[in-house]
Amino acid sequence: PIGDFLISTKIEGVGPPLNYLLYTCIYGFSGEAWKILRSVIGGFVSVVPNIIVLITTIWLIVIALRVSNRAGDKIKWQGLMTVTATAVVYCLSVLPVGLFHILYS
């Protein structure tokens, strides 16, 4: 969540000489405005990159179709499928994180 950070401290006399315990400090913004703002920011950060990837993919496919039509060649389906598959896999891979930020922030 937004506002989390980790602190590592050394405890003297406990266990081996390099014994570090990990503490998580969470700043709990208790106001109602912060709860709404965290959801909005989480959604924005999760949705905007996906929209950019989708728009760029469509743009690249349109450019490839125009270039192949001008050259009189057949379209290179292998390249188009690679671009499309990359965009789809990226969007699907960030979907769980995006849903987490939207629902639980």
Side-chain angles (χ1 to χ4, degrees):
I2 299 171
D4 291 358
F5 67 96
L6 302 174
I7 298 174
S8 182
T9 60
K10 182 177 179 183
I11 306 296
E12 294 294 332
V14 177
L18 295 175
N19 184 12
Y20 288 91
L21 296 177
L22 192 62
Y23 292 95
T24 302
C25 298
I26 299 174
Y27 292 110
F29 297 106
S30 59
E32 192 64 32
W34 282 108
K35 291 178 184 176
I36 295 171
L37 187 60
R38 286 177 64 176
S39 295
V40 170
I41 290 172
F44 183 77
V45 168
S46 301
V47 172
V48 170
N50 287 330
I51 292 173
I52 291 171
V53 167
L54 291 175
I55 290 172
T56 304
T57 301
I58 293 169
W59 182 48
L60 285 172
I61 290 172
V62 168
I63 289 173
L65 289 172
R66 287 182 184 170
V67 167
S68 69
N69 287 338
R70 284 186 194 160
D73 294 334
K74 292 176 17 179
I75 189 77
K76 305 290 186 195
W77 290 106
Q78 186 177 9
L80 288 179
M81 290 306 293
T82 302
V83 170
T84 305
T86 303
V88 168
V89 167
Y90 170 77
C91 291
L92 289 176
S93 70
V94 298
L95 185 64
V97 175
L99 287 176
F100 174 79
H101 279 295
I102 292 170
L103 296 175
Y104 297 110
S105 289

